[in-house]
Amino acid sequence: MPNSTKNKNNRARTVLVGVAASPGYTMGPVQMVSNREITVVDETLPPERVAAEEILFQRAVNRAIREISAVKQITTERVGADKARIFDTHIMILKDPSLMNGILDLIKKKHKNARFAVHVKLKELISEFEKSPSPLLRERALDLNDLYNRLLDSLNDSTPVLHSENWEAGTILAAHELTPSILLSLKKGQVGGFATDSGGRTGHVSILARAMQIPAVSGLRNVSLIVQPGDTMIVNGTGGMVIINPNEDDIRQYQEKLKAFLKMQRELFTMRQLEPMTRDGKYISLLANIELPLESNHVLDFGASGIGLYRSEFLFSRKGFPSCEEQEEAYSYIAQTLNPHPVTIRTLDAGGDKLVPNLTITGEANPFMGWRSIRVCLDRKDIFKDQLRAILLASRFGNLHLMFPMISSLQELRSAKAIYKECREQLLSEGVEIPELKIGMMVEVPSAVMMVDVFAKEVDFFSIGTNDLIQFTLAVDRTNELIADLYQAHHPAILNMIHQTVIAAHHQGITVTVCGEMSSDPLSTLLLVGLGVDALSMAPWSIMECKKLIRSINFEDARMTAETVLNFDDAAAVNHYLREKYLQTITDLGISSSITSGETDAVSDSLK
């Protein structure tokens, strides 16, 4: 519920709490973004107008494709090709024969006007996405609505949605929902932050906001109804809170938080060249997770020791699978850029929340536990062999490691290794010199943990994917906000599984990396170090923060702390103990992630 008071100008001061979509702090004048009201009339055309209506529709499609291509180019230049990938999907939809023929059939056979035909067919598609059991697909219905509006605008030759020429620099956008094209159509620096009723951290707009370093809060429910012309807003994207018409005390606190946030960012860059070593000499390798080859250019700038997880599925996100040659070029680029630092390539991890055109099954009742990851690769050996061959060809730099995802049985692992061996022997027979690669597996399902002693004899390293391990072990859909409180990284079952995996790995002389979200959470970092993991892999911008934390502790103390919490019987007890022991230390270090958790209390206080 919002909290409202009156400030000295008799304007309502209102505090709203939502989802921390993109970190940072900003304050500025509010600009409301209203959804365009679309009017569609069902008109039956006389036969002589049908041909002209077909031409009108085709021109509108071509115009929309040109506009989307232009927005994609802007996106690529500003925030990189991976964030622009959604616009490839838009273009694919506009070129999809079944959709386009369906619209043309309504025009030609039913003599319907083009706007009505577009409305009917695209709304059918949007409805399918909204009814999907997959939260990711339901969220993508927003992107389809963006496409729907653009195509109807093209048919109407209407003006742009926003008239932003006179907006002040640092304007705060308030809306029920925003689309990627709206955000990217604005001039650089024009928008300081945004606040929306809908959306979450996984939406494309939130992803773009983080990439563009724009503070944002989503999931505010009714901010678009509360704000008025002339309002001022503070956006606390770190804590997930906005204050409409802040008072003098709010502004003072905002300025202090902003100053601390910027200072923390500057200070963290001084950690880049320092070793991630505890005070008593325990070295913890800090690695980066990346999605695109070009990201490898900046990984070392953040102080990474290499790449612990390259998500190769993003090469497959366009229509049509990448060729072996295209993959070899991408993998070689990363390997050469990071050489001699290690680069771990995870083989195609399609399915679940990772949608791959022409491969992912979108109608599965439970996609996270369906046809995905290694199951797809073992069924589609043609795709798998192309990828393995490309990785082997790129391994000439000597720093590539290979990792198989979502292994749940020994048969799966041995089958994957057999296909790898077949590909390697084929290349050797062709006269290509191929080094032996280190082969690892993801530990992310309970069955893998139950057989971890056996698996440890079959691979060169483990990488624990805590996101899925928590989800599968606790039977909690990690994308479902209704049960978010049940998704507990510090659940005793999870901690004991990690501990069991580390013991089995070290018994066989192999290493363990953690590459889930736990690795970049301060309290979890301290716990994972104490549990004995050898490496942590995370988003590049989290590395310096994690390094600062590791350098502030003693390993022996962290080990004893982990030993203590392994005896606790619920997550609440673990969290309480860790906070009592470490929260002040983390706060003193100025770690932003702990500021986020600490601000929960401040938000609660402001609502009292």
Side-chain angles (χ1 to χ4, degrees), residues 238-300:
T238 300
M241 176 178 70
V242 301
I243 304 177
I244 304 167
N245 296 315
N247 58 34
E248 291 181 1
D249 189 52
D250 295 325
I251 294 172
R252 179 186 56 77
Q253 291 186 36
Y254 152 72
Q255 291 170 339
E256 290 174 355
K257 289 179 184 293
L258 177 60
K259 183 178 179 180
F261 182 76
L262 296 175
K263 180 182 178 183
M264 178 202 69
Q265 288 185 314
R266 290 192 299 269
E267 289 179 349
L268 284 175
F269 271 93
T270 65
M271 307 296 298
R272 285 180 295 178
Q273 304 304 321
L274 300 179
E275 294 286 357
M277 187 179 293
T278 64
R279 287 180 173 178
D280 49 353
K282 175 70 172 178
Y283 182 89
I284 307 296
S285 183
L286 296 183
L287 307 165
N289 298 339
I290 68 168
E291 300 172 355
L292 286 174
L294 287 176
E295 290 182 82
S296 61
N297 293 341
H298 307 292
V299 162
L300 299 181

Side-chain angles (χ1 to χ4, degrees), residues 69-82:
S69 297
V71 172
K72 179 194 170 186
Q73 181 63 32
I74 295 171
T75 308
T76 302
E77 292 172 357
R78 289 189 185 178
V79 296
D82 58 328

Side-chain angles (χ1 to χ4, degrees), residues 493-595:
I494 303 302
L495 300 183
N496 278 279
M497 283 182 162
I498 295 171
H499 187 228
Q500 184 179 343
T501 301
V502 170
I503 290 174
H506 289 176
H507 182 71
Q508 292 296 325
I510 67 174
T511 59
V512 179
T513 299
V514 171
C515 63
E517 291 299 315
M518 274 185 77
S519 61
S520 57
D521 171 71
L523 290 176
S524 298
T525 294
L526 295 166
L527 195 49
L528 291 170
V529 169
L531 288 170
V533 301
D534 304 288
L536 301 171
S537 191
M538 62 198 71
W541 52 84
S542 298
I543 290 171
M544 293 180 292
E545 194 173 83
C546 189
K547 186 182 292 188
K548 186 175 184 179
L549 184 60
I550 288 172
R551 289 177 59 84
S552 73
I553 63 169
N554 289 311
F555 171 70
E556 186 59 27
D557 180 69
R559 188 192 65 77
M560 293 178 63
T561 298
E563 190 175 289
T564 298
V565 301
L566 284 173
N567 294 313
F568 291 170
D569 57 9
D570 68 84
V574 173
N575 290 333
H576 177 75
Y577 181 82
L578 292 176
R579 288 194 181 104
E580 286 288 312
K581 186 174 180 64
Y582 288 124
L583 192 56
Q584 188 59 53
T585 299
I586 295 172
T587 303
D588 290 344
L589 289 171
I591 302 297
S592 64
S593 300
S594 69
I595 292 173

Side-chain angles (χ1 to χ4, degrees), residues 154-210:
S154 296
L155 282 165
N156 195 39
D157 196 27
S158 59
T159 55
V161 174
L162 298 179
H163 300 279
S164 57
E165 294 83 359
N166 298 320
W167 289 1
E168 297 180 31
T171 292
I172 310 298
L173 297 187
H176 175 67
E177 60 187 26
L178 288 173
T179 60
S181 60
I182 287 178
L183 192 59
L184 289 159
S185 67
L186 301 166
K187 297 175 183 177
K188 188 173 183 179
Q190 192 170 30
V191 171
F194 69 78
T196 58
D197 299 338
S198 60
R201 280 187 54 82
T202 60
H204 281 293
V205 170
S206 296
I207 292 170
L208 283 173
R210 292 195 292 275

